[in-house]
Amino acid sequence: MATSVKNNFLNHALASNLQQALIRRKDSVQEQHHSKAQEPNKASSKPVVLVTNGEGIDSPGLTFLVEALLRDALLDVYVCAPQSDRSVCGHSVTTGETLAVCSAQVSGANAYEVSGTPADCVSLALSGALFCWSKPVLVISGLNKGAACGYDTLYSGAVAGAREAMICGVPSLCVSLNWEKNVSCESDLKDAVTVCLPLIHAAISDIQKGIFPKNCFLNIGIPSCPLTNKGVKVTRQSSSRASLNWQAVSTNRNPSAGHYMSNQQNLGIMLAKLGRDASAAAAARRLNSNHRNMEIESIGVAGKLSSQQSIKKYFRMELTEKRQQNKEDYLDSSALEEGFVTVTPLCLYENGDMEIQSSVSRWLAIGLSDDQ
């Protein structure tokens, strides 16, 4: 469905005033907090924001975002993020295994690192098991290094974190920078945070007013040169995706593959001895069997294998550049490449796509024009 440029693109004057309009809104909120603080016998209540990401708790993008959210002391910010990089784990969740959760600090914010996926982190944080609050005003997944457009949103752990929040009934945003290899640098992450802050503050304010778009979460893309962006554009999800190329490898050409498998087997034996995981015990028993592994590279095998032989293959996935099916300017990937800040509403079903598209367009246009 092609929507008009008028519905999707904020005019130049409105876009150029985005920062100033939302700063005025933020100042107004700050004054309200200040006046409330002066009132006796009334506890101040700042909006609670939960932050997660796909790249792990130590990623600079998450740190810069949390620092910016805490800078004006207007928000209570909490972090629950993966212990390690889970950027392409999709919406996977961990079942039947015990997750390790460790307390941490991220730029002064109370935080937990979890040995699970972004969806695990959000689900656990919203369960009430970690934090004292009942529910945050907003969940933000970001700032993530690498665009999440088109079908790649299905693979993205960062997008899954925001989607899980929506499933749990909490408004959410996913914010990503269109990182260019060998071109982008850490300062671009800081600039991307600067660009997305007005949208975050506008979202928090309008959630409290009850006028934030419902039944969707917003996937925000920041162009590779954040400070020279062309404005904000509401977009639709495209059909672009990265090509997934599988390459057969062997321990002869890639000894690390065999080393990795050996480490995993040793870990299985250790866990079995500790009695912590029945599946690990089963894995250990398999290791003690008389089966002999044969490593091969080709798809077919000449001759017959005896009953005492099994086949082991090693493969590695290589991601290549995205294949863009079409380049309409209302699609997320096209608009992002053109230098726009993209705001793409995503939902769990397609029936409400047109309604949600219009809802987000009205929110951005009307909400900002009120401050003119």
Side-chain angles (χ1 to χ4, degrees):
M1 176 198 70
T3 50
S4 67
V5 175
K6 180 178 179 181
N7 287 334
N8 284 284
F9 177 56
L10 300 180
N11 62 62
H12 180 71
L14 186 57
S16 64
N17 288 330
L18 174 65
Q19 183 80 29
Q20 292 81 358
L22 292 175
I23 286 177
R24 288 196 298 272
R25 175 180 294 180
K26 181 180 68 175
D27 291 340
S28 174
V29 173
Q30 188 172 12
E31 290 176 3
Q32 293 174 11
H33 279 291
H34 179 72
S35 63
K36 286 182 180 180
Q38 302 301 319
E39 296 178 8
N41 303 324
K42 285 191 178 180
S44 64
S45 83
K46 300 177 184 177
V48 173
V49 174
L50 174 67
V51 181
T52 189
N53 74 344
E55 296 161 15
I57 197 165
D58 294 323
S59 69
L62 182 140
T63 300
F64 295 149
L65 177 60
V66 172
E67 287 176 351
L69 293 173
L70 289 172
R71 191 168 296 138
D72 297 322
L74 298 177
L75 304 171
D76 280 337
V77 181
Y78 297 83
V79 178
C80 189
Q83 194 175 56
S84 57
D85 190 345
R86 304 303 297 269
S87 298
V88 289
C89 68
H91 205 118
S92 60
V93 293
T94 305
T95 61
E97 297 180 18
T98 301
L99 294 179
V101 181
C102 298
S103 60
Q105 286 284 321
V106 177
S107 300
N110 291 330
Y112 286 97
E113 59 179 53
V114 180
S115 62
T117 67
D120 286 331
C121 294
V122 173
S123 177
L124 180 60
L126 297 181
S127 72
L130 295 180
F131 302 108
C132 59
W133 37 260
S134 59
K135 189 171 77 169
V137 170
L138 179 69
V139 172
I140 306 172
S141 180
L143 174 76
N144 303 288
K145 188 170 70 174
C149 297
Y151 291 158
D152 288 345
T153 59
L154 301 176
Y155 301 104
S156 170
V159 173
R163 187 188 297 114
E164 182 66 25
M166 185 193 71
I167 292 173
C168 294
V170 180
S172 58
L173 310 173
C174 178
V175 188
S176 304
L177 169 66
N178 187 21
W179 183 272
E180 293 186 0
K181 188 177 181 181
N182 301 323
V183 176
S184 299
C185 59
E186 197 167 274
S187 63
D188 293 322
L189 291 169
K190 293 183 179 180
D191 293 340
V193 169
T194 300
V195 170
C196 73
L197 271 181
L199 289 171
I200 292 174
H201 285 296
I204 293 171
S205 177
D206 290 344
I207 289 169
Q208 293 177 311
K209 294 177 182 176
I211 59 176
F212 187 77
K214 302 184 184 302
N215 301 319
C216 70
F217 66 97
L218 303 185
N219 186 26
I220 300 174
I222 310 296
S224 54
C225 297
L227 297 184
T228 59
N229 71 82
K230 296 181 180 179
V232 181
K233 181 181 284 192
V234 179
T235 54
R236 292 189 61 196
Q237 183 179 5
S238 66
S239 58
S240 67
R241 59 162 288 185
S243 298
L244 311 181
N245 296 322
W246 290 95
Q247 301 293 331
V249 296
S250 70
T251 52
N252 293 332
R253 289 188 295 136
N254 186 19
S256 62
H259 180 66
Y260 172 80
M261 293 301 296
S262 175
N263 286 343
Q264 298 304 303
Q265 292 169 350
N266 290 337
L267 178 61
I269 294 175
M270 291 172 60
L271 291 175
K273 289 179 179 178
L274 293 173
R276 295 173 56 187
D277 195 325
S279 63
R285 288 194 295 273
R286 288 196 296 273
L287 290 178
N288 294 326
S289 68
N290 294 324
H291 283 208
R292 181 165 60 89
N293 291 323
M294 294 183 61
E295 183 185 316
I296 64 173
E297 296 181 54
S298 59
I299 301 300
V301 181
K304 280 189 174 183
L305 297 175
S306 70
S307 59
Q308 296 300 310
Q309 295 175 336
S310 62
I311 300 174
K312 180 184 290 185
K313 302 179 182 181
Y314 297 106
F315 293 91
R316 175 175 293 170
M317 179 193 292
E318 300 290 345
L319 298 177
T320 60
E321 292 185 2
K322 291 183 178 180
R323 298 174 301 184
Q324 201 158 313
Q325 304 296 331
N326 40 44
K327 296 188 176 182
E328 285 85 348
D329 60 2
Y330 60 85
L331 297 177
D332 54 4
S333 54
S334 300
L336 191 62
E337 290 296 332
E338 291 172 9
F340 291 98
V341 175
T342 59
V343 179
T344 309
L346 298 178
C347 57
L348 299 178
Y349 53 89
E350 297 182 358
N351 294 337
D353 191 25
M354 293 177 59
E355 179 182 351
I356 291 172
Q357 184 85 12
S358 300
S359 172
V360 173
S361 295
R362 289 193 301 271
W363 171 69
L364 280 172
I366 298 174
L368 297 179
S369 62
D370 287 343
D371 293 278
Q372 300 301 307

